[in-house]
Amino acid sequence: MEKKSFVYGVPVSGYNFTGREEETHRLLADFQGGINVILMSPRRLGKTSLVKHTLQQVDSEQILVVYVDIFGCKSEYEIYNKLASAILQQTASQRQLWLEEAKDFIYRLSPKISISPDPYSEYSVSLGITPKTHTPEEILSLPEKIAERKGKRLLVCIDEFQQVGELSDSTQIQARMRGVWQHQQQVSYCLFGSKHHLMGSIFLNKSMPFYQFGDLIALKKISVDDWANYICQHFADGHRTISKDQAARIATLVDCYSAYVQQLAWIIYSQTKEGCVITDKQIVSGFNDLLAINDVLFIQAVEPLTEYQMNFLRAIASGVNKDFTLEDIRQQYHLGSYSNIPRLKTALINADLIDSSPQTGITITDPVFEQWIRRKMM
């Protein structure tokens, strides 16, 4: 299979995966040791890629792996249906699924199974779990029952776990989940998601059920040096020449956010021919193209905002990251009254457009979006 020079928008592996040696080692040790893991970071830093990269190194003879993405689930039982389907589907072969592994679980259901004639293809499962068929505790106990039956440990990886935090009665649902999961001996969990503030509210708040549930890993950016080496090598493999300083500039322009590094590198790579030497002008042009490509997405992000919310973003893009309640700053950036500031901050955090921390103050979560604001909205 032909190697792709740069990949973005989907999880990467193999040739397109770089860095993360320390995080991979820690994550693999947790997985093999049966330790629960919470993986947190802003979007576009490669959480899913890291998890899938590490899962490839897990000993499948000892540990069964289940991976499920619950993005889009809007209710507790939507999550349970997706979770149960993934567990049943990924821990048994097509023949075993309903005849053996799931017979105790599905007798109250009329499951729909779509199986392709191709024995190597995927099959789909629709369970139709409802409160009338199963209690939450029955579904949440399923991983442990399967692990015991198979005599192996089970690792359940749940992507976009922040969806749990957006449900009505979220705290009660989290309490039910932890109440069952914390007593399981044969199952461990890796929970991660793309909305940093929601993940923080679930796992960093001492009053919440999932506080101190497992090893909390705050994923940092891949270093400029690692990215520069990666970019130079991939350009060289494609018979193009780029200096290490230029490669480092590509990473720096997008603040080392993994998805954007890959996308910007691809734009520049795809616009040059084999045998060419990359110029500084091409890097500038590539970054302008990156902003233009994301223009529609960024417009969608700002369209619902009020004038005050947009002014708040402009203030941050101008370099202000604290003291928004001071009269001079409120007047300069037209932020309204003193009491308006907390509302603006909360609304933009909930929209995942800004983040707040004691170390950095208030920042825009997406570095390319911030550059776009500076150019288009100021």
Side-chain angles (χ1 to χ4, degrees):
M1 183 182 294
E2 183 181 356
K3 294 178 180 178
K4 295 182 179 180
S5 299
F6 299 97
V7 177
Y8 59 93
V10 295
V12 301
S13 60
Y15 179 67
N16 296 105
F17 189 91
T18 189
R20 303 289 188 214
E21 289 85 2
E22 182 179 337
E23 295 94 331
T24 300
H25 178 78
R26 180 175 171 183
L27 204 54
L28 184 59
D30 285 341
F31 288 171
Q32 293 177 334
I35 305 298
N36 296 323
V37 178
I38 299 97
L39 186 60
M40 293 180 56
S41 80
R43 290 182 297 169
R44 299 188 177 92
L45 284 189
K47 291 182 293 296
T48 302
S49 295
L50 172 61
V51 171
K52 291 192 170 183
H53 170 74
T54 308
L55 289 177
Q56 292 174 353
Q57 303 173 50
V58 170
D59 183 357
S60 60
E61 293 298 316
Q62 302 294 325
I63 303 173
L64 294 173
V65 173
V66 173
Y67 177 93
V68 57
D69 185 336
I70 62 171
F71 182 77
C73 293
K74 301 300 182 183
S75 71
E76 182 178 11
Y77 269 80
E78 275 190 68
I79 293 176
Y80 294 156
N81 271 278
K82 204 156 193 180
L83 181 61
S85 295
I87 291 168
L88 294 173
Q89 185 173 345
Q90 295 176 37
T91 58
S93 69
Q94 292 181 10
R95 291 181 180 178
Q96 292 174 319
L97 179 59
W98 304 111
L99 296 177
E100 298 176 18
E101 314 304 336
K103 64 182 179 181
D104 297 334
F105 182 75
I106 67 166
Y107 72 94
R108 284 165 285 175
L109 300 174
S110 298
K112 296 179 181 179
I113 314 168
S114 300
I115 301 178
S116 168
D118 181 355
Y120 299 102
S121 67
E122 290 290 327
Y123 53 92
S124 63
V125 180
S126 177
L127 293 178
I129 295 170
T130 70
K132 292 183 178 180
T133 64
H134 294 80
T135 66
E137 288 74 17
E138 285 180 286
I139 302 157
L140 295 170
S141 298
L142 179 63
E144 181 83 347
K145 291 180 179 179
I146 289 181
E148 289 174 349
R149 182 175 296 172
K150 286 188 164 288
K152 294 185 178 183
R153 286 199 289 108
L154 194 62
L155 169 61
V156 181
C157 300
I158 306 180
D159 201 348
E160 304 293 357
F161 192 78
Q162 79 281 340
Q163 292 296 123
V164 174
E166 295 187 321
L167 301 177
S168 57
D169 298 325
S170 173
T171 303
Q172 289 79 5
I173 294 168
Q174 292 174 47
R176 281 195 284 272
M177 289 178 168
R178 176 156 189 172
V180 175
W181 289 349
Q182 69 182 351
H183 298 296
Q184 294 178 348
Q185 301 297 311
Q186 297 292 101
V187 185
S188 60
Y189 294 86
C190 176
L191 310 176
F192 55 111
S194 59
K195 289 191 176 181
H196 199 212
H197 75 284
L198 276 175
M199 291 293 287
S201 69
I202 293 172
F203 295 105
L204 301 181
N205 189 330
K206 292 182 180 180
S207 66
M208 296 299 284
F210 274 108
Y211 182 70
Q212 293 187 333
F213 179 66
D215 185 15
L216 179 63
I217 301 177
L219 194 62
K220 298 179 180 179
K221 303 166 192 171
I222 296 171
S223 70
V224 172
D225 193 57
D226 279 346
W227 276 126
N229 291 332
Y230 171 86
I231 293 168
C232 287
Q233 184 60 58
H234 280 233
F235 270 76
D237 291 345
H239 309 290
R240 294 157 173 82
T241 302
I242 187 170
S243 72
K244 189 167 183 179
D245 284 345
Q246 289 172 323
R249 189 180 178 199
I250 289 174
T252 303
L253 278 169
V254 295
D255 199 20
C256 291
Y257 273 57
S258 302
Y260 282 137
V261 175
Q262 297 266 20
Q263 187 176 14
L264 179 53
W266 168 248
I267 290 170
I268 297 166
Y269 179 96
S270 65
Q271 292 176 351
T272 57
K273 297 179 180 180
E274 290 189 14
C276 289
V277 177
I278 306 304
T279 66
D280 292 344
K281 184 178 179 180
Q282 287 173 305
I283 294 176
V284 172
S285 176
F287 185 72
N288 290 336
D289 288 343
L290 177 66
L291 292 175
I293 289 168
N294 286 281
D295 192 67
V296 173
L297 294 176
F298 294 155
I299 288 174
Q300 288 179 341
V302 300
E303 275 184 341
L305 301 183
T306 67
E307 180 181 356
Y308 284 134
Q309 290 168 352
M310 196 64 237
N311 289 344
F312 200 88
L313 288 179
R314 291 190 185 101
I316 300 170
S318 298
V320 181
N321 56 26
K322 60 181 181 178
D323 298 329
F324 289 91
T325 55
L326 294 180
E327 185 175 358
D328 288 349
I329 291 178
R330 287 189 287 110
Q331 289 184 354
Q332 181 179 353
Y333 293 101
H334 308 287
L335 300 178
S337 66
Y338 177 93
S339 61
N340 198 34
I341 302 304
R343 290 193 293 268
L344 295 176
K345 178 181 173 182
T346 299
L348 292 172
I349 287 176
N350 289 339
D352 204 31
L353 295 178
I354 67 172
D355 196 11
S356 178
S357 74
Q359 294 77 25
T360 60
I362 299 175
T363 56
I364 294 175
T365 56
D366 186 324
V368 176
F369 178 52
E370 182 171 4
Q371 294 276 8
W372 181 84
I373 291 174
R374 289 174 184 164
R375 294 195 184 189
K376 302 273 284 192
M377 310 299 289
M378 297 175 68

